[in-house]
Amino acid sequence: MVDRIWEIGSGRFGARSTRQTLDNAETPTFQRKRVAAAIVLNAIPLATSSNGALLLTWFLEASGLPNRYSLVAPRFVAHLSHLCTHKLASQSLMRVINQREDDEAQRIMLDALLDPEVKVLEDVLNDQMHGVALVHKVTGSAHLSDERRERLFARVKEAIESLSVKGVPAYRKLIEEVGGEYTGPPPGSTPPPPGVHHPYGGTRHGQRGSPNQGYGAGAGGPYGHAPPGPHAVSPQFQRRGPLGPPAPPPPPHQQYHQPLSLIHISEPTRL
């Protein structure tokens, strides 16, 4: 396990069997520390793997080893921009930040994230999906001191100002969290794309029909046809021939009674 921790941990069954072995009470402490050291050395690839993240989670939350947060924090800092915008790796970063057991590890992570010269924060905020969500989680963390929180808020405001995204809806919650001024449109006021037809007829920018009029009846139909009459048969209920287009409607019911003058009535036979 120590020599091939990445190969074993990247697999579904290998990661789970390794964790069960580490959680076993009969596993010696020295052997558990050896595997933990291998997890630290391979923290970057394990953090970005759905199976390997199980081993890293065990190391941070269940191993109980001293200084475990300070061991992985320097390794995360070297690839912080990539890990902050990764869906799985960002969860491991938040485990290092959302803790008060090792204050040094939290300081290392925040100093690297808020460094104005390296501009890691600007790179992270450029990712509107995972990067903005991670920064928003960090700003809302209850494990930060007041001094670090004020420094974080000021740095986030500076980064948002430099990126000129104060009017982008994806940054609205983050801007409001740090006390900034959001200049974009209010929620729910984004105009719909032009030319989109409403399912009951017409378009979002034009006339809207009634549900009883059929699709496109309010605006003459999607192809400009007139609305059907009150007794028109819907296309899905028309009779169709075996190979051709829909068959014409049947003719009206005719009375096939013969006149009485054409019917021969025979006289009853007399006995």
Side-chain angles (χ1 to χ4, degrees), residues 32-49:
R32 187 180 290 109
K33 289 181 179 180
R34 291 187 60 199
V35 177
I39 293 176
V40 173
L41 295 176
N42 296 269
I44 303 302
L46 290 176
T48 56
S49 172

Side-chain angles (χ1 to χ4, degrees), residues 106-219:
Q106 186 186 84
R107 184 193 64 80
I108 293 174
M109 296 292 295
L110 291 179
D111 288 348
L113 180 63
L114 305 179
D115 191 354
E117 297 181 359
V118 184
K119 296 187 180 300
V120 175
L121 184 60
E122 283 78 2
D123 294 340
V124 175
L125 290 178
N126 277 327
D127 190 329
Q128 298 185 8
M129 181 174 295
H130 302 297
V132 176
L134 173 71
V135 177
H136 187 258
K137 291 179 182 179
V138 175
T139 55
S141 176
H143 299 82
L144 300 179
S145 61
D146 295 338
E147 180 183 357
R148 290 177 180 174
R149 189 183 306 276
E150 293 178 0
R151 179 189 172 196
L152 174 64
F153 283 14
R155 185 69 179 88
V156 171
K157 290 180 182 179
E158 179 184 351
I160 291 176
E161 186 70 26
S162 63
L163 295 175
S164 301
V165 293
K166 297 179 66 175
V168 180
Y171 298 86
R172 179 180 60 84
K173 293 183 179 180
L174 179 60
I175 295 174
E176 295 176 352
E177 179 71 23
V178 299
E181 182 182 359
Y182 174 67
T183 60
S189 63
T190 304
V196 178
H197 287 273
H198 194 273
Y200 291 147
T203 61
R204 294 183 182 268
H205 301 285
Q207 182 182 1
R208 178 175 177 178
S210 172
N212 299 326
Q213 291 178 339
Y215 180 79

